[in-house]
Amino acid sequence: MKARYFVTPAPAEAPVISRLRDGGFLSSLDGLIARFACPECHADATYVAPTEETPYGEVKCACGLNLKHLLEALDMKFYQARCCPTLAISEVPIHEVVEAAEEVLAETGRVVACGRSLYTVDFRTGVLAWIDEADLTKLLSEYTNFLKHDARARSDLPIDPPARVVHLLTSSQYRHAVPEVMGVVRQPFVRPDGSLCMSPGYHTDLKILAAFDPEPYRKFGWQGKISITQAEDSAWYCEDIYREFAVDASMKSTVLCAGMTAVQRAVLDRAPMILIQSNVSGIGKSTLARALALLVSGMPASEISYPNSAEETARTLFSALASSPACVLIDNIVGTLQDHPALCTCLTEPFYESRVLRTSSTKQVLTRVLFVGTGNYVTPAADLRRRVLPIKLVSFLEHPELRRFAQEDLDQYVLEHRSELVMHHLRIAAWYLQATEKIDCVPLSGLHNWSRRCREPIQALGYDDPALPMLRLLEEGDDDQVYRLQLLQALRHFFGAEAFTVSDIACLGQRQMLDALANVGVLKGGQLSREKLGWFLKGLAGFPIKGLLLERLGKHPQYRVKELK
């Protein structure tokens, strides 16, 4: 903690023990236990130094001496018995008080920042718990003494953590002491240079929090360079858990890539959502999804149903991400996976922010989470095509749910062999990151780190490009973009290079034009909505589509379709 004129650091020795020594009462000291002559009965008594469970310490004596009587005999107040920093904040600028309070939080080792929001962390599970103003007040009171001068008492007296300080800590965008966390990893991970990290705790260089026990992974670890033979053996081992699924032959590399994504998700700035598609129920979509979720953390996924509206999607995702789960499973999607803004944001941005229900405060949650979706004949909508990695499960059986698996309980198998499975996936990534020669593949905007760690290593081992299903989706094009092009072509056909208005379009009764208008959603009850069409044309103007450009002419709502050379 930084030295400040108004801060008294936590004492090296329990204050009560120091006072017992100064008063000549102390007989012996054994670690945290002090033996002293009781000031009331003069018999031997013991005092145990403060801990988190007993912040003032404990007193034991045959005469029934309690802590209050001991402190009175030593001329001490209760707050003076605590082993924590003391902040005397009278006439101190508030920014200095806030900085000192943040340093106290950082020294606890329990508080981290995710964007502007503060969280407490459980290092055993990696679960983050959001800190609101009430929680922060309690936390500051637990770990520090705040003193303020009282004119009537003519001395500094203890006070509660100031509300203004608490508010600034929870709402400030600037942090100088509390570590910022971008992801929570629940197993060993591979550094950018290909070396293996087996150390739990906070890693400043990557801004990730590692919450795991390294012991189960040690026997599968490695040091130094990895050979291509070792990487091939690891790939073969990893394929074992995927072979029994009815994966389309062209997508075997994609399933392996999904496993690579699962075990490295926390160190990837961005990663696509895994969308498991099938042609029939009972084929094993949910089983594969659960296996990927267990690879991420060894814990079940946070399962949600995908809402129909954008508002409900925002609330559902915000709630699901509140405790920083390792995996979010959107099971049994029907029809189209709609490109609601909340899901698109979660797949591309490091944090997702929303207002906390029934309050005026906002909270930011981590989005370095493995998103997995499942559904029969499900397809991603336009803006999700570049954010989704599809996996097709195809079965020609009438009742695929009746077939037998070699591993009858795949979930239990993955749990029992998780340490080995994780390390084999990581070994493939480490081999490629250590290699000097890299694969030159089709770039995917915003997914460079994911390609380097999950996609390119599989290609380098001789497999097909795992991203081919995503590239095919992009080649198919956006249906909405096709409909916009059809409208421009219809307008060009009927009006040529002449100017036209919304009223001119409304006067046309041609079937081709009505079909084009219906496709862009400007018909209402079978009739043209001039208001919708006006807003649609205004938004479309100025953006070229395959050689055609809609121009807005002057201030009056006149338009013209222009051919671009």
Side-chain angles (χ1 to χ4, degrees), residues 85-113:
T86 298
L87 277 62
I89 62 174
S90 297
E91 300 181 355
V92 178
I94 193 168
H95 74 278
E96 293 189 46
V97 179
V98 171
E99 289 177 358
E102 185 183 339
E103 290 166 5
V104 170
L105 294 176
E107 284 196 345
T108 66
R110 295 175 51 195
V111 179
V112 297

Side-chain angles (χ1 to χ4, degrees), residues 213-225:
D213 178 9
E215 290 307 316
Y217 303 93
R218 291 197 188 279
K219 61 181 178 181
F220 306 112
W222 66 87
Q223 291 181 347
K225 290 281 186 178

Side-chain angles (χ1 to χ4, degrees), residues 21-218:
R21 179 184 288 107
D22 295 341
F25 297 105
L26 188 64
S27 302
S28 64
L29 181 61
D30 182 14
L32 298 178
I33 302 176
R35 290 177 176 82
F36 64 97
C38 176
E40 293 190 358
C41 69
H42 304 290
D44 286 340
T46 59
Y47 173 78
V48 181
T51 62
E52 285 197 11
E53 291 75 20
T54 56
Y56 302 101
E58 283 185 294
V59 177
K60 292 181 181 179
C61 183
C63 70
L65 178 74
N66 59 31
L67 183 61
K68 179 181 178 182
H69 294 152
L70 176 61
L71 293 178
E72 288 175 352
L74 298 175
D75 193 25
M76 294 179 69
K77 303 294 184 183
F78 265 91
Y79 77 89
Q80 293 174 326
R82 302 174 62 192
C83 288
C84 63
T86 298
L87 277 62
I89 62 174
S90 297
E91 300 181 355
V92 178
I94 193 168
H95 74 278
E96 293 189 46
V97 179
V98 171
E99 289 177 358
E102 185 183 339
E103 290 166 5
V104 170
L105 294 176
E107 284 196 345
T108 66
R110 295 175 51 195
V111 179
V112 297
C114 299
R116 293 195 304 272
S117 300
L118 293 175
Y119 288 81
T120 56
V121 59
D122 184 340
F123 281 93
R124 294 177 296 104
T125 62
V127 172
L128 303 181
W130 179 55
I131 302 176
D132 61 11
E133 292 192 6
D135 296 325
L136 186 56
T137 301
K138 181 176 178 294
L139 203 61
L140 286 173
S141 180
E142 183 180 349
Y143 283 100
T144 189
N145 290 321
F146 284 90
L147 301 183
K148 195 168 186 178
H149 186 74
D150 188 292
R152 288 177 295 181
R154 297 183 179 180
S155 65
D156 288 343
L157 297 180
I159 61 170
D160 293 333
R164 184 65 175 160
V165 171
V166 171
H167 176 71
L168 288 175
L169 279 171
T170 54
S171 58
S172 176
Q173 299 186 28
Y174 169 70
R175 310 279 182 208
H176 80 286
V178 173
E180 183 183 20
V181 170
M182 304 295 291
V184 180
V185 61
R186 294 165 172 89
Q187 61 270 327
F189 61 93
V190 176
R191 297 187 183 93
D193 62 357
S195 60
L196 177 66
C197 181
M198 298 276 284
S199 304
Y202 180 70
H203 295 267
T204 308
D205 53 343
L206 298 176
K207 293 186 178 180
I208 62 172
L209 190 68
F212 63 91
D213 178 9
E215 290 307 316
Y217 303 93
R218 291 197 188 279

